[in-house]
Every structure is written in structure tokens, then in C-alpha cells.
């Protein structure tokens, strides 16, 4: 899909992706690399970062894999300093590191609630703040990875809903504060993405079909479909897009009741067949 983008869209730009060692974030890193970008990725697990770096180098990118927990300000700062030194200042930053588990609100401990806020909200803030001087220099942009839970409630996800709503608010605030300095801030809300850790956790109890039924397009996304839109948001194609929360979710956030919609369709079909 990103093969449809111009191969020089991000030529020689530096893109930093937090949580870029796996899943949707790695797909974004790969999509950026495939249009000419050099890539820095951070995460907690060195082996995961190294194997992701190999995939990115195979696409022609120069790569900095930096072990850094986004909750640790000093580690995040060090990762950005190393990135600038080895690849040049960042033109795009993806704040994608996040944590999730499925649990009823009344059973989530203080630390369990806090750990998700710390990774998602504080971690995203750290990543954006550490990038600030470099982004001012390059007139670049920040892309936050949010989720449908921030606007559409879902059982056993209050900690994630609160965290991603915080990420949405952070994005909008930075669009306002940093827009005048030439730095754009946006976010993307993926729907269910096939083969990801996030969906593995959310489908354990439900299976896949229920999710297919909730999405008007009737299927999961491929990670590359989300990654292509993310690449566009990070690129000059989106030079006037600031403060936008783009859904890339097959229509999931439109809402509706799966059972009502199905029953209505079936009843209408039965009535019109007679
Ligand atoms: P994933 O593969 O688990 O991606 C999360 C990444 O973040 C991992 O590489 C993980 O690596 C890293 N990470 C976690 N905690 C970290 C920390 N404290 N510091 C630094 N890195 C950390 O999951 P995914 O499903 O692809 O999700 C990626 C993003 O998309 C998340 O923001 C998620 O909320 C969002 N999203 C996903 C879906 C979906 O369908 N999967 C839908 C909507 C939104 P380490 O564990 O090695 O640190
Ligand atoms: N249900 C309820 N509470 C849970 C839980 C679950 N399934 N999993 C973890 N917690 C609680 C722990 O019990 C702990 O609270 P406590 O100290 O009161 O017992 C707290 O969360 C922190 O757990 P810990 O394992 O120390 O955190 P961590 O920083 O090592 O890991 C997580 C963070 C829990 C979010 C972990 O799932 C993770 O690393 N996730 C990253 C990958 C991911 O979530 N991918 C999907 C993308 S959104």
C-alpha cells in the first residue's frame, strides 16, 4: 500500500518511533523507511529492537535502535540525542508506545491504572517534549497513536480510555502551542489491526467475529493500511493538517449497535423478499 506513495516522500528525513520494535508502530516505521526515511526506534526490549532494525535496514534505512522506557525522561532524552547525532534532527515523531490489559474497573489496582497512564500519557509527553528542539529546527510534526476507547466506551477498558483521552488532549494542546512555531501535532486512531499484540489481548474473550461485526467495513485492518495513513500525516502532503484526530478504523467509531444493525438488516431483507 505504501508502495503507492512517492518513493522520495520522506527521503533522508529522520523519523523517531516510540514502541517501534513491533506491531503497528513497526509497520509505520517500515512505511516511512520505504519512502526514504532514516528511522530511530525505542522500546524496552533490546532483542526486539535489533530484529526490527534489521527489517528496516533491509528497506534501505539507516537505523538507530535505542533501548528506552518512555516513562524514563533521561532515557528518552538520551535516545533523541543519539538519534540527532547519528541520523540528524527528527522531522517526524510517532508517540506509539502503549500498554493495555483487559480488567474490570473495580479490580484494577492503583498501580495497574497508573502504569497505563504512565506509558501512554506521560510517555507520549516525554517523547514529544524531547523532540521539541529538533522539530522546531526541521519544522516537523508529532503523530500520536490513540485508540477508539478514548471516545467510544468499551467494557474493562477504563484505564485505557482515560489514557488515550489524555493522549488526545495532549495532541490538541500541542497543536495549539506548537502550531505557531511551525510544528504540527496530529493523531491516528487505528481500528482492530490484524496480528497485533493489542488485538490479541482484546480478542482473547470475544474472538474475532464480534469485532468484524462491529466494524462497518466488516474486517480487521492490515497494519500497513494504518501505516500508510500515518506516513501521509507525517509528510508534507499534510502540511496544513494540525490538531486532527484521524480515524483509520473501517468506521468503528461511527458506533451503532451490532445486534440492532444486524437484526434490522435481516428483517428488511426478509420483508423485501416477500
Ligand atoms: P505492541 O506491538 O505491543 O506495541 C507496543 C510497543 O510499545 C511494543 O513494541 C513495546 O515494546 C513498546 N512499549 C511498551 N511499553 C513501553 C515503554 N514503557 N517504553 C517504551 N516502549 C514501550 O502493540 P500494538 O497492538 O501494535 O499497538 C501499537 C499502538 O497502537 C499502541 O499505541 C496501541 O494503543 C495502538 N492501537 C492498537 C490497536 C490494535 O488493533 N492493535 C488499535 C488501536 C490503537 P517493549 O515491550 O519491548 O517495550
Ligand atoms: N489485570 C489487572 N492488572 C494488571 C494486569 C491485568 N491483566 N496486568 C498488569 N496489571 C497490574 C499489575 O498487577 C501491577 O499492579 P500491582 O503492582 O498493583 O500488582 C501493574 O499493573 C503494573 O504491572 P507490571 O507488570 O509491573 O507493569 P509493566 O510496566 O511491567 O508492564 C503492562 C506494563 C502491564 C501494561 C504490560 O502489559 C506491558 O508491558 N504492555 C506492553 C505491550 C502492550 O500492552 N501492547 C498492547 C498495545 S496497547
Amino acid at each position: 500500500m505504501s508502495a503507492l506513495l512517492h518513493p522520495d516522500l520522506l527521503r533522508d528525513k529522520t523519523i523517531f518511533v516510540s514502541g517501534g520494535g513491533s506491531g503497528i508502530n513497526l509497520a509505520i516505521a517500515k512505511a516511512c523507511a520505504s519512502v526514504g526515511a532514516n528511522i530511530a526506534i525505542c522500546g524496552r526490549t533490546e532483542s526486539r529492537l535489533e530484529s526490527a532494525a534489521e527489517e528496516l535496514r533491509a528497506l534501505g534505512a539507516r537505523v538507530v535502535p535505542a533501548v528506552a522506557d518512555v516513562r524514563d525522561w533521561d532515557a528518552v532524552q538520551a535516545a533523541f540525542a543519539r538519534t540527532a547525532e547519528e541520523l540528524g534532527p527528527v522531522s517526524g515523531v510517532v508517540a506509539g508506545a502503549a500498554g493495555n490489559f483487559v480488567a474490570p474497573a473495580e479490580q484494577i489496582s492503583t498501580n495497574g491504572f497508573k502504569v497505563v497512564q504512565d506509558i501512554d500519557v506521560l510517555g507520549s509527553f516525554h517523547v514529544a517534549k524531547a523532540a521539541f528542539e529538533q522539530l522546531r529546527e526541521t519544522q516537523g510534526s508529532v503523530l500520536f497513536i490513540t485508540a477508539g476507547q478514548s471516545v467510544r466506551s468499551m467494557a474493562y477498558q477504563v484505564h485505557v480510555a482515560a489514557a488515550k483521552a489524555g493522549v488526545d488532549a495532549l495532541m490538541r494542546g500541542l497543536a495549539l502551542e506548537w502550531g505557531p512555531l511551525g510544528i504540527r501535532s496530529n493523531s491516528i486512531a487505528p481500528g482492530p489491526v490484524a496480528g497485533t499484540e493489542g488485538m490479541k489481548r482484546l480478542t482473547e474473550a470475544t474472538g474475532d467475529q464480534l469485532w468484524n461485526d462491529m466494524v462497518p467495513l466488516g474486517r480487521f485492518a492490515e497494519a500497513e493500511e494504518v501505516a500508510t495513513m500515518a506516513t501521509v500525516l507525517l509528510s508534507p502532503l499534510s502540511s496544513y493538517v494540525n490538531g486532527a484526530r484521524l480515524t483509520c478504523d473501517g468506521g468503528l467509531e461511527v458506533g451503532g449497535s451490532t445486534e440492532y444493525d444486524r437484526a434490522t438488516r435481516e428483517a428488511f431483507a426478509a420483508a423485501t423478499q416477500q
Side-chain angles (χ1 to χ4, degrees):
M1 181 101 30
S2 52
L4 297 173
L5 298 175
H6 193 285
D8 291 332
L9 186 62
L10 295 175
R11 179 67 53 201
D12 297 330
K13 304 286 188 204
T14 302
I15 305 292
F16 186 107
V17 185
S18 78
S22 64
I24 298 170
N25 301 318
L26 175 56
I28 295 172
K30 286 165 80 172
C32 292
S34 73
V35 292
N38 296 316
I39 308 288
I41 49 177
C42 85
R44 297 168 298 177
T45 318
E46 188 166 18
S47 57
R48 174 177 278 177
L49 294 173
E50 286 303 338
S51 93
E54 279 314 304
E55 290 187 49
L56 292 162
R57 288 188 189 107
L59 294 167
R62 289 191 291 131
V63 184
V64 167
V67 175
D69 188 319
V70 292
R71 294 169 286 189
D72 178 346
W73 168 242
D74 291 341
V76 173
Q77 261 193 314
F80 273 92
R82 187 179 151 204
T83 299
E85 202 176 292
E86 295 186 29
L87 304 177
V90 296
S91 299
V93 173
V94 179
N100 192 1
F101 51 80
V102 176
E106 70 281 8
Q107 289 178 28
I108 300 174
S109 69
T110 298
N111 197 33
F113 189 84
K114 183 174 180 297
V115 78
V116 175
Q117 315 311 310
D118 283 352
I119 301 172
D120 291 27
V121 190
L122 183 63
S124 296
F125 173 69
H126 281 162
V127 166
K129 183 180 165 184
F132 173 70
E133 290 299 346
Q134 295 182 38
L135 290 174
R136 186 151 65 165
E137 186 182 335
T138 59
Q139 297 288 278
S141 77
V142 191
L143 179 66
F144 296 91
I145 310 299
T146 183
Q149 288 93 319
S150 72
V151 296
R152 189 180 197 266
S153 298
M154 197 178 289
Y156 298 177
Q157 287 284 279
V158 290
H159 46 319
V160 173
K164 292 297 193 183
V167 170
D168 289 354
L170 183 56
M171 181 279 287
R172 285 195 297 271
L174 293 184
L176 188 83
E177 283 194 37
W178 292 357
L181 305 174
I183 302 170
R184 299 181 297 109
S185 298
N186 295 294
S187 62
I188 191 162
V193 178
T196 56
E197 181 61 33
M199 284 318 290
K200 191 172 147 222
R201 293 173 186 222
L202 290 177
T203 54
E204 233 158 53
T206 62
D208 288 359
Q209 190 52 46
L210 199 109
W211 282 85
N212 289 330
D213 290 347
M214 283 198 292
V215 175
L217 288 185
R219 63 174 177 85
F220 282 44
E222 296 302 321
E224 207 196 336
E225 293 178 286
V226 176
T228 300
M229 292 314 302
T231 305
V232 170
L233 284 171
L234 289 163
S235 82
L237 290 172
S238 302
S239 54
Y240 202 61
V241 182
N242 183 37
R245 180 183 180 283
L246 177 75
T247 54
C248 184
D249 67 352
L252 177 64
E253 266 182 36
V254 169
S257 155
T258 304
E259 285 310 315
Y260 173 84
D261 295 343
R262 190 188 359 231
T264 303
R265 270 195 294 268
E266 285 171 6
F268 191 81
T272 49
Q273 269 165 16
Q274 284 162 7

